[in-house]
Amino acid sequence: MPVAKELSGFSDFERVTRFDDAEAQLCAIIAIHSTALGPAAGGCRFTRYPGFDEAAADAAALAHGMSRKNAMADLPLGGGKSVIRMPDGEFDRDRLMRAFGEAVDSLGGAYITAEDVGTGVADMQQIARATRFVAGLPKVGDHAGGDPSPWTGLGVFLSIRHVAGAELQRPLGELTVAVQGAGSVGANLCRRLSEAGATVLVADTNAEKLAALADLAGVEAVAPDKVLGIEADILAPCAMGGVLTPAVVDGLQVRAIAGAANNQIAGPEAGAALQRRGILYCPDFIINAGGIISVSAEYLGEDEDAVSRRVARIPERLAEVIGAAREQDVGPEIMADRMADERIAAAGTAAEAAGG
Ligand code: NAI
């Protein structure tokens, strides 16, 4: 059983807990930002960090993001996230995941885990041997479940189609979309864009990922170091966060940005630069919620229709955020944070009132 230690210094969080199990080589952090709207849900990241503090800070930042994402997707879930530090050298992955499952279980359902960067369905199956507070398991019948990334791809695609029609006043078939990253979400997005008749300029550092898309109509591979500055109508960052630095924003040749990666804007200066240049930013956690919508439906025992209906509403939520941002003359990313924080605070106040 992993040894738990509460971490201090995370004042806006309900709890941030470190779990260690030397025999299983587990060192994990589970950050619970808020359970005001329901159990804290968010994936488990499995990667290397320079040190423990970096891992804890990442878990906390991601958990806060999940509170906002879940709140704005109308899910009955709070926000949490976990990270497992990848051990150096050899390790028994299944055993490590089972030990992590014990850590999740010890929180009694306050935190629900699923896949994130570095974890997959097989890991969730190991975790499920130790806890029932896990989703992202193989699909059974009509029930929601399985790989969430196609749903993320669909939500991003619908958002891009909305931006084309409502913001750029052009059908998607006449537009060029630059896609950074042809992984699970990016490849799905490229297929949908190709089917809709768009021209797609896609970059990936892994040539195999590009080869898999080579036969799609209207899809052309471009160099990874060119994609962020390429001339197109819309840019869809689908590789990693923090790509929109002030320097990158200066060089952008697009009118809008709509991608799946979390936290694409690298700080307020870059956000201000986007606003100044009149480039529309579609807040990542609004448009990439398809995956958590699927995971949440799976956990709640709902069917795939429920997932489809909720994902189809993503463009409405996007339009609401863009409209409010214009009214208040702030960037959509700032507006999305504000709206989410208001929802979480209102739920917290309602819970307190009910409790006391
Ligand atoms: P993935 O790991 O399957 O794909 C990422 C792809 O980006 C890989 O093919 C990789 O080779 C490529 N890549 C890495 N660095 C690159 C660079 N500098 N230039 C071009 N390509 C590069 O990840 P996935 O699942 O497709 O997720 C993509 C992004 O969306 C991630 O940031 C993830 O956190 C985020 N996201 C994913 C969700 C999901 O359902 N999978 C849900 C919400 C957010």
Side-chain angles (χ1 to χ4, degrees):
M1 187 68 187
V3 177
K5 180 173 180 267
E6 297 305 319
L7 300 179
S8 55
F10 295 93
S11 54
D12 292 340
F13 288 70
E14 289 184 15
R15 65 192 285 191
V16 180
T17 315
R18 171 178 180 154
F19 291 93
D20 288 284
D21 182 333
E23 280 177 23
Q25 289 180 274
L26 176 78
C27 174
I29 299 128
I30 300 180
I32 297 182
H33 175 255
S34 167
T35 54
L37 287 161
C44 170
R45 190 160 286 200
F46 185 39
T47 187
R48 290 211 158 79
Y49 288 91
F52 180 82
D53 290 349
E54 286 84 354
D58 198 31
L62 292 164
H64 191 184
M66 288 310 300
S67 283
R68 288 173 163 162
K69 187 187 295 198
N70 295 341
M72 291 303 277
D74 290 328
L75 299 175
L77 297 172
K81 200 93 177 185
S82 53
V83 304
I84 304 177
R85 294 186 69 186
M86 192 175 282
D88 293 324
E90 302 247 313
F91 61 94
D92 179 341
R93 186 169 180 127
D94 288 353
R95 177 146 194 223
L96 182 83
M97 290 298 162
R98 285 199 299 276
F100 176 70
E102 289 173 6
V104 171
D105 203 61
S106 72
L107 296 172
Y111 170 67
I112 302 162
T113 199
E115 291 92 346
D116 192 62
V117 175
T119 54
V121 174
D123 297 318
M124 296 308 125
Q125 287 175 301
Q126 290 301 325
I127 292 169
R129 290 174 66 175
T131 185
R132 63 193 166 91
F133 306 119
V134 54
L137 295 164
K139 213 171 124 38
V140 185
D142 292 343
H143 287 255
D147 179 8
S149 57
W151 293 107
T152 307
L154 176 61
V156 174
F157 170 76
L158 295 174
S159 302
I160 288 177
R161 200 175 62 184
H162 167 79
V163 168
E167 299 291 332
L168 307 185
Q169 274 89 38
R170 304 238 318 267
L172 195 44
E174 287 178 13
L175 296 188
T176 300
V177 183
V179 180
Q180 183 190 39
S184 311
V185 180
N188 182 281
L189 176 64
C190 288
R191 285 179 202 287
R192 293 182 191 279
L193 289 168
S194 165
E195 278 165 22
T199 300
V200 180
L201 305 175
V202 57
D204 200 293
T205 42
N206 180 343
E208 281 175 26
K209 304 275 180 172
L210 295 174
L213 302 175
D215 293 340
L216 294 182
V219 176
E220 187 189 321
V222 296
D225 62 345
K226 298 276 186 300
V227 70
L228 295 174
I230 213 156
E231 193 176 342
D233 298 292
I234 298 173
L235 170 67
C238 297
M240 63 256 172
V243 291
L244 300 173
T245 61
V248 166
V249 172
D250 272 353
L252 287 174
Q253 295 197 71
V254 292
R255 294 174 63 196
I257 298 172
N262 289 308
N263 306 323
Q264 291 159 39
I265 301 183
E269 206 188 314
L274 282 169
Q275 181 82 340
R276 212 170 34 243
R277 290 204 52 204
I279 298 171
L280 175 70
Y281 181 73
C282 298
D284 42 79
F285 68 83
I286 302 289
I287 70 170
N288 73 9
I292 190 70
I293 288 173
S294 166
V295 162
S296 127
E298 174 190 342
Y299 186 74
L300 298 170
E302 296 175 324
D303 60 19
E304 282 208 320
D305 287 348
V307 183
S308 289
R309 282 196 302 276
R310 283 190 198 117
V311 174
R313 289 205 293 267
I314 288 176
E316 283 167 40
R317 181 59 31 81
L318 174 63
E320 198 186 322
V321 172
I322 293 172
R326 285 207 176 107
E327 260 172 39
Q328 298 194 22
D329 197 20
V330 293
E333 74 286 0
I334 295 174
M335 197 64 231
D337 284 356
R338 278 187 199 164
M339 288 168 80
D341 291 346
E342 276 168 21
R343 284 177 174 223
I344 297 161
T349 311
E352 265 172 40

